[in-house]
Amino acid sequence: MTESSAFRTDRYELTMVDAAIQSGTAHRECMFEAFARRLPDGRRYGIVAGTGRLLELIQQFRFTDAELSWLRNNEVVRSPTLDWLADYSFRGSIWGYQEGEAYFPGSPLLVVEGTFAEAVILETLILSVLNYDTSVASAAARMVSVGLGRPIAEMGSRRTSEFGAVSAARAAYIAGFAATSNLEAGRTWGIPTMGTAAHSFTLLHDSEEAAFRAQVEAFGVNTTLLVDTYSIEDGIDMAVKVAGTQLGAIRIDSGDLPTVVAAARAQLDALGAVNTRITVTSDLDEYSIAALSGSPVDSFGVGTSVVTGSGAPAAGMVYKLVAHKNDSGSWIPVAKTSAAKASVGGRKDAVRRLDSTGTAREEIVLLGDGPAGESELVSPSGLERALLVPLIVGGKPDERYLGPAGTTRARSHHASVMRELPIDAFRLGRGEPVIPTTYR
Amino acid sequence: MTESSAFRTDRYELTMVDAAIQSGTAHRECMFEAFARRLPDGRRYGIVAGTGRLLELIQQFRFTDAELSWLRNNEVVRSPTLDWLADYSFRGSIWGYQEGEAYFPGSPLLVVEGTFAEAVILETLILSVLNYDTSVASAAARMVSVGLGRPIAEMGSRRTSEFGAVSAARAAYIAGFAATSNLEAGRTWGIPTMGTAAHSFTLLHDSEEAAFRAQVEAFGVNTTLLVDTYSIEDGIDMAVKVAGTQLGAIRIDSGDLPTVVAAARAQLDALGAVNTRITVTSDLDEYSIAALSGSPVDSFGVGTSVVTGSGAPAAGMVYKLVAHKNDSGSWIPVAKTSAAKASVGGRKDAVRRLDSTGTAREEIVLLGDGPAGESELVSPSGLERALLVPLIVGGKPDERYLGPAGTTRARSHHASVMRELPIDAFRLGRGEPVIPTTYR
């Protein structure tokens, strides 16, 4: 694979461009919208993620000689289209929900303005990034909210594709996770990384004692010792014997956690290791974290469930043409009308209405017909918060959303958004979206 | 990200190496094993995928100056470990199930022999690749088996992370899918790519007729016209009016498919378009494909369900130290013994026992204590097929498993394996593994 992101797309995006160039419609001004028709099964809110990554990938969406010759050799598109692709960079504008923002069914998460050809060609990439990252962030936010402030580390790299793992670490961090096991996420996005040892390290040594001694010699007594390779009770005794009562933490990766954790805490206290923390990492999800709300757990590590969206591994985003200019320059709202997948045409803007206590009460989608940002359609008062911000204007991304700084910004925005949601948002049971979406 | 795959890993792999280098145990000869304790919920077999990709990623697992300086600056490991990492390449051997092979609980899918440090450090990468690709292939194989020979295209790139999409296309192809929408999968792995147009192409034009004319002008009458943007019935009339009775295919992406497809076939036939094929692409999974077994569908396109493993987005593989040599040179089988996650220590080999009709009857895991390949422990008769093949020997991968040729080889091996499974394997309902795993 090259540095170009242009082939992370579906063939039909290019064949559509090809046919539209031939028919003379490729350069019609268009407005596309990314949204979700519904939240994942029974969820009460979703969390947008992927935006900052997406802005960088759109900059890398260029057709180099390698892509162009492959397309030529495989007769995917014709010569005029190859010329157009060779010159391609996205020169339009994109408005969107800030990364980390809550969303609801119909929320216009991304509004993409450009010619048909330049906007349609980004469809697959936009959806890949938003669907995966949003699915992780939406699951992660629920785990954080039931974690009652105790830090949660993302450690699911091994349970998702090797590049998806990096994106998952980032999305979970935006949604409030404290750290990740993934080194690339640390390097690329500035996320704190963590981790000490697996069972194999204990099994490698001639005894658990030898393994603990090796680890403490390497990292000092403030390390985390994994105590459940053989017997948890014997493991805790040995951990304190080796590291002393100043041992940083023990990790437990198996067993009936409420019982095991209570016993471990009592044992540590009895041994005098009253400040030694307990971290648990055994196939956790939002439900098992909630079940530990009364247990003396100090931190959690979550793997499979967060990187696979906890039952909803794709967020269900779609990318639809909602308006185009006709030959006389007027905007025409358009929408698929058949069967169950009908959507709402036309330009959208969106505000979240808050009550006098600052609690979100309604997602208001404003229907217009010009491009976003042209009018002063949104005039947020103190009680209405504007949701769309300019992400790319005339091809240039807003730098504040990029890189590690953009990731930190998204995490901070997310934290403020969560304080705004009604308390019912945080119920784990299946339910309806916590606020209604209204079209105005 | 760089070309190195070395940071697609968890921090604790490196801290374990660091502590083991310090304690003098890093260079003990070890045997690790990748396996799944169980099949995904209610499945009767699983399909191994990712192996060919993994062999290439292991070759790229090198620490360049970029990785080393990041590790130094972030104080992840100490100086002797940095020196060791700088010199790292995997020099051990890996035996494994062929890509495309069926597997069952406890099947020793990968046996990795090397020093502790060189083998443990690959854990996260091995599991990321195997867990994701296997989850996709396992779901895809079920779809193919209920598709009754009609071609299925993978078009789920937009429903998984943008790099995962490429791996998913490859895994689905190995499991018998006919093509993919993903261009990078076409370029990197030689998989046939497909796709023509989305609803946006129709909506862009002033009428459905104009859109169909544009597409037929660009691609000829043998193209596939998407007929459900407005009314399916009107869409079919228009498609045949524009393209004539030699129209290649229509695509239907919504509605109650058994009803809609039957009506569409009757309408096409009545219009004289008796050779025009029908392809359907509406949120399909193995169950909805099975429900179309009696419908005149000519081909399927599957998205979300295949790239997310159809309810099982991670295959549940683990990577465990099963034996190491002690200081006197003897192999010591080791295993975690606490609680529910106990595993079986020692070296494994595996054969599949077939009955006289060539049908698989038993997965036999042979327990030994030396490294795989050292003894002639497996002597497959006509009725026992050896499952482990050498993938990497002394650091060198078997070239036959790499690249597009390796992918084709895996697809072909998969097809032969499926013919060997008992008929009960293909029942869609939840059940037990179709053959038992026996330890001998």
Side-chain angles (χ1 to χ4, degrees):
Chain A
M1 298 194 198
T2 67
E3 293 272 344
S4 164
S5 63
F7 264 29
R8 279 171 244 159
T9 195
D10 286 335
R11 179 178 172 124
Y12 84 172
E13 315 292 4
L14 301 197
T15 54
M16 282 192 279
V17 169
D18 191 60
I21 285 176
Q22 177 146 331
S23 80
T25 49
H27 308 300
R28 283 189 167 179
E29 279 188 67
C30 282
M31 199 172 304
F32 283 82
E33 184 188 316
F35 64 97
R37 292 196 175 90
R38 64 195 74 86
L39 297 177
D41 231 23
R43 298 274 180 87
R44 294 160 195 267
Y45 65 92
I47 298 299
V48 183
T51 323
R53 288 201 320 111
L54 180 60
L55 298 186
E56 301 189 5
L57 287 163
I58 289 174
Q59 300 309 299
Q60 296 159 16
F61 201 91
R62 303 295 181 93
F63 292 82
T64 71
D65 289 345
E67 284 77 33
L68 295 168
S69 63
W70 192 89
L71 293 172
R72 186 181 302 109
N73 295 339
N74 288 273
E75 300 181 358
V76 176
V77 295
R78 274 159 297 200
S79 201
T81 307
L82 289 171
D83 293 344
W84 183 86
L85 293 173
D87 186 48
Y88 180 80
S89 70
F90 180 72
R91 299 181 178 102
S93 296
I94 300 183
W95 291 65
Y97 276 40
Q98 282 191 67
E99 192 162 15
E101 184 62 79
Y103 77 92
F104 302 92
S107 296
L109 301 179
L110 221 57
V111 176
V112 179
E113 305 167 16
T115 67
F116 175 77
E118 74 178 342
V120 78
I121 207 172
L122 297 177
E123 175 182 27
T124 305
L125 183 66
I126 287 174
L127 290 177
S128 291
V129 171
L130 289 185
N131 270 318
Y132 183 66
D133 293 28
T134 296
S135 117
V136 173
S138 297
R142 280 158 56 91
M143 297 172 191
V144 171
S145 78
V146 296
L148 307 176
R150 295 172 287 184
I152 308 181
E154 182 281 315
M155 32 185 273
S157 292
R158 61 190 59 197
R159 307 291 183 213
T160 187
S161 65
E162 75 280 11
F163 276 111
V166 185
S167 311
R170 181 179 177 278
Y173 183 66
I174 287 171
F177 272 46
T180 178
S181 62
N182 188 282
L183 283 178
E184 189 64 68
R187 172 165 67 173
T188 304
W189 303 108
I191 302 171
T193 58
M194 48 69 66
T196 50
H199 295 110
S200 60
F201 186 79
T202 300
L203 294 170
L204 168 71
H205 289 82
D206 296 331
S207 66
E208 192 173 49
E209 178 169 5
F212 287 178
R213 287 207 187 283
Q215 189 178 326
V216 168
E217 269 169 38
F219 303 119
V221 298
N222 197 35
T223 194
T224 299
L225 293 173
L226 176 61
V227 295
D228 70 341
T229 303
Y230 305 108
S231 140
I232 295 176
E233 196 179 339
D234 294 349
I236 291 174
D237 274 342
M238 185 56 72
V240 176
K241 178 181 162 195
V242 168
T245 55
Q246 297 309 303
L247 172 62
I250 60 166
R251 177 160 80 93
I252 299 173
D253 186 47
S254 52
D256 176 58
L257 292 176
T259 316
V260 167
V261 167
R265 181 73 269 158
Q267 188 182 351
L268 286 169
D269 290 348
L271 291 167
V274 294
N275 295 316
T276 299
R277 298 177 304 280
I278 298 177
T279 187
V280 298
T281 57
S282 180
D283 281 335
L284 297 177
D285 62 15
E286 59 271 48
Y287 303 100
S288 50
I289 292 172
L292 289 164
S293 61
S295 293
V297 172
D298 297 287
S299 61
F300 302 93
V302 177
T304 311
S305 65
V306 69
V307 302
T308 59
S310 198
M317 307 280 181
V318 293
Y319 183 77
K320 297 294 173 190
L321 179 66
V322 292
H324 66 81
K325 270 193 185 166
N326 64 11
D327 292 338
S328 57
S330 312
W331 283 99
I332 313 290
V334 296
K336 182 169 185 288
T337 54
S338 77
K341 289 185 182 172
S343 46
V344 180
R347 186 256 286 211
K348 318 287 190 313
D349 209 332
V351 296
R352 189 159 298 152
R353 185 173 63 76
L354 311 175
D355 66 17
S356 59
T357 69
T359 302
R361 290 298 171 203
E362 191 179 12
E363 187 86 340
I364 303 174
V365 178
L366 303 144
L367 301 172
D369 49 22
E374 265 195 0
S375 68
E376 279 304 311
L377 197 145
V378 182
S379 315
S381 68
L383 301 182
E384 282 186 358
R385 184 161 68 81
L387 295 167
L388 288 173
V389 299
L391 299 169
I392 295 182
V393 176
K396 290 189 84 74
D398 187 326
E399 304 277 340
R400 293 174 302 165
Y401 301 118
L402 305 180
T407 303
T408 305
R409 185 189 183 89
R411 188 170 196 264
S412 158
H413 180 67
H414 172 74
S416 72
V417 166
M418 294 299 277
R419 287 191 288 272
E420 198 181 84
L421 292 184
I423 195 77
D424 266 0
F426 306 112
R427 292 170 59 190
L428 281 187
R430 294 164 59 90
E432 299 299 316
V434 71
I435 61 173
T437 303
T438 312
Y439 292 85
R440 190 191 284 171
Chain B
M1 297 194 196
T2 68
E3 293 273 344
S4 164
S5 63
F7 265 28
R8 280 171 243 159
T9 196
D10 286 334
R11 180 179 172 124
Y12 84 172
E13 315 293 3
L14 302 197
T15 54
M16 281 192 279
V17 169
D18 192 60
I21 285 176
Q22 177 146 333
S23 79
T25 50
H27 308 300
R28 282 188 168 181
E29 279 189 67
C30 282
M31 198 173 305
F32 283 82
E33 183 188 317
F35 64 98
R37 292 194 175 91
R38 65 195 75 85
L39 296 177
D41 232 23
R43 298 274 180 87
R44 294 161 194 267
Y45 65 92
I47 299 298
V48 184
T51 323
R53 288 199 322 110
L54 180 60
L55 298 186
E56 300 189 6
L57 288 162
I58 289 174
Q59 301 308 300
Q60 296 159 16
F61 201 92
R62 303 295 181 93
F63 292 81
T64 71
D65 288 347
E67 285 77 33
L68 295 168
S69 62
W70 193 89
L71 293 171
R72 187 181 301 109
N73 294 340
N74 289 274
E75 300 181 356
V76 175
V77 294
R78 274 159 296 199
S79 205
T81 306
L82 289 171
D83 293 343
W84 183 86
L85 293 174
D87 184 48
Y88 180 80
S89 70
F90 180 71
R91 299 182 179 101
S93 296
I94 300 184
W95 291 65
Y97 276 39
Q98 281 191 66
E99 191 163 17
E101 185 62 79
Y103 76 91
F104 301 92
S107 295
L109 302 179
L110 221 58
V111 176
V112 179
E113 305 168 15
T115 67
F116 175 76
E118 73 177 342
V120 78
I121 207 172
L122 297 176
E123 175 182 28
T124 305
L125 183 66
I126 286 174
L127 290 177
S128 291
V129 172
L130 290 185
N131 270 318
Y132 182 66
D133 293 28
T134 296
S135 118
V136 173
S138 298
R142 281 159 55 93
M143 297 171 191
V144 171
S145 77
V146 296
L148 306 176
R150 295 172 287 184
I152 309 181
E154 182 282 315
M155 31 185 276
S157 293
R158 62 191 59 196
R159 307 291 182 212
T160 187
S161 65
E162 75 279 11
F163 276 110
V166 185
S167 310
R170 181 179 176 279
Y173 183 67
I174 287 171
F177 272 45
T180 178
S181 62
N182 188 281
L183 284 178
E184 189 64 68
R187 172 165 66 172
T188 304
W189 303 108
I191 301 171
T193 59
M194 48 67 67
T196 50
H199 294 111
S200 60
F201 186 79
T202 300
L203 293 171
L204 167 70
H205 289 82
D206 296 331
S207 66
E208 193 173 49
E209 178 169 6
F212 287 177
R213 286 207 187 284
Q215 190 178 327
V216 168
E217 268 168 40
F219 303 119
V221 296
N222 197 34
T223 193
T224 299
L225 292 173
L226 177 60
V227 295
D228 72 341
T229 303
Y230 305 108
S231 141
I232 295 176
E233 196 179 340
D234 294 349
I236 292 173
D237 274 341
M238 185 57 73
V240 176
K241 177 182 162 195
V242 168
T245 55
Q246 297 310 303
L247 171 64
I250 61 167
R251 178 160 79 94
I252 299 172
D253 186 48
S254 52
D256 176 56
L257 292 176
T259 315
V260 167
V261 167
R265 181 73 270 159
Q267 187 181 351
L268 286 169
D269 290 347
L271 291 167
V274 294
N275 294 316
T276 299
R277 297 177 304 280
I278 298 176
T279 188
V280 298
T281 58
S282 180
D283 282 336
L284 298 176
D285 60 15
E286 59 271 48
Y287 303 100
S288 50
I289 292 172
L292 288 164
S293 61
S295 293
V297 172
D298 297 287
S299 60
F300 302 92
V302 177
T304 311
S305 65
V306 69
V307 302
T308 60
S310 198
M317 306 280 181
V318 294
Y319 183 79
K320 297 293 173 190
L321 179 65
V322 292
H324 66 80
K325 270 193 184 165
N326 65 11
D327 291 338
S328 57
S330 311
W331 282 99
I332 313 290
V334 296
K336 181 169 185 289
T337 54
S338 77
K341 289 186 183 171
S343 46
V344 181
R347 186 257 285 214
K348 317 287 189 314
D349 209 331
V351 296
R352 189 159 299 152
R353 185 173 64 75
L354 311 175
D355 66 18
S356 59
T357 70
T359 302
R361 292 297 170 203
E362 191 178 12
E363 187 87 341
I364 303 175
V365 179
L366 303 145
L367 300 172
D369 48 24
E374 266 196 358
S375 67
E376 278 303 311
L377 197 143
V378 182
S379 316
S381 69
L383 302 183
E384 282 186 358
R385 183 162 68 80
L387 295 167
L388 288 173
V389 299
L391 298 170
I392 295 181
V393 176
K396 290 188 82 76
D398 187 326
E399 303 277 341
R400 293 174 303 164
Y401 300 119
L402 305 181
T407 303
T408 304
R409 185 188 182 90
R411 189 169 194 263
S412 159
H413 180 67
H414 172 74
S416 72
V417 166
M418 293 300 276
R419 287 192 288 273
E420 197 180 85
L421 291 184
I423 196 77
D424 265 359
F426 307 111
R427 293 170 57 189
L428 281 187
R430 295 164 59 90
E432 299 299 316
V434 71
I435 60 173
T437 303
T438 312
Y439 292 85
R440 189 190 284 171

